[in-house]
Amino acid sequence: MLTITQALVDQIVAHARKDHPDEACGVVAGPAGSDRPERFIPMLNAAMSPTFYEFDSGDLLKLYREMDDRDEEPVVIYHSHTATEAYPSRTDISYANEPGAHYVLVSTADTDGLGDFQFRSYRIVDGEVTEEEVKIVAAY
C-alpha cells in the first residue's frame, strides 16, 4: 500500500495537468528504508511527448547523487498518461528498474467517467505489475 499526503497528490496531479498534453514525470524521494514519500521532485520529460516519457539522463544522475547525499531513495516514481487509463504500458514496465518504488500513474484523460483524472499506484518487479491501494492522509 502507498501512503501519501494529500499535498503530494495535489502536486503530482498539478504537474500532470501543467505538462498536458505531454506526459509529466518525476520522483518523490523519502528517507532511505522508510517507504515514506516526502520530497516532491518534478522532472523534465526529455521526450516532450504526449505518449512517452523519458527522464533526462543528466538530470537523473544529478538527482540520484543528491538523494544519496541526503540518505534518500525514490519512494514514488510518477508519470502521467494523457489519453489512456492510469495503467503501466509495456514501455513503462520495461523501464521500471526500482523494485522498491511505488510507480504512480496519473491519467489526465477521463477514461472511466469518474472524474477528470485517475491516480493509481503499482509495484513493478521483474516485469510483474501489481496494483496497490493508495491511502491519502493529511500528514504522517
Side-chain angles (χ1 to χ4, degrees):
M1 175 172 57
L2 169 63
T3 301
I4 189 168
T5 64
Q6 182 66 58
L8 285 169
V9 169
D10 292 346
Q11 287 178 295
I12 292 169
V13 171
H15 184 203
R17 288 181 171 149
K18 181 177 82 61
D19 283 11
H20 188 88
D22 289 339
E23 290 192 3
C25 57
V27 172
V28 183
S34 71
D35 198 38
R36 189 175 67 230
E38 291 183 352
R39 189 166 64 95
F40 175 70
I41 308 157
M43 303 284 285
L44 173 70
N45 177 356
M48 296 176 135
S49 167
T51 59
F52 180 75
Y53 84 98
E54 181 177 30
F55 292 116
D56 176 88
S57 58
D59 289 348
L60 199 57
L61 180 60
K62 180 182 169 198
L63 172 62
Y64 271 80
R65 285 182 175 152
E66 183 181 291
M67 286 190 299
D68 194 45
D69 289 346
R70 296 171 63 124
D71 198 27
E72 292 176 327
E73 63 189 6
V75 178
V76 169
I77 298 172
Y78 74 87
H79 77 280
S80 62
H81 283 180
T82 60
T84 59
E85 71 172 318
Y87 190 85
S89 69
R90 285 190 308 270
T91 304
D92 298 338
I93 295 165
S94 71
Y95 283 151
N97 61 359
E98 287 286 350
H102 302 270
Y103 285 88
V104 165
L105 272 142
V106 174
S107 175
T108 53
D110 182 5
T111 57
D112 60 6
L114 297 177
D116 58 353
F117 72 92
Q118 296 174 345
F119 187 100
R120 296 165 70 183
S121 184
Y122 304 87
R123 293 293 190 151
I124 305 174
V125 180
D126 297 328
E128 283 286 319
V129 177
T130 306
E131 186 165 8
E132 63 183 353
E133 181 183 345
V134 177
K135 180 179 178 184
I136 300 173
V137 298
Y140 302 122

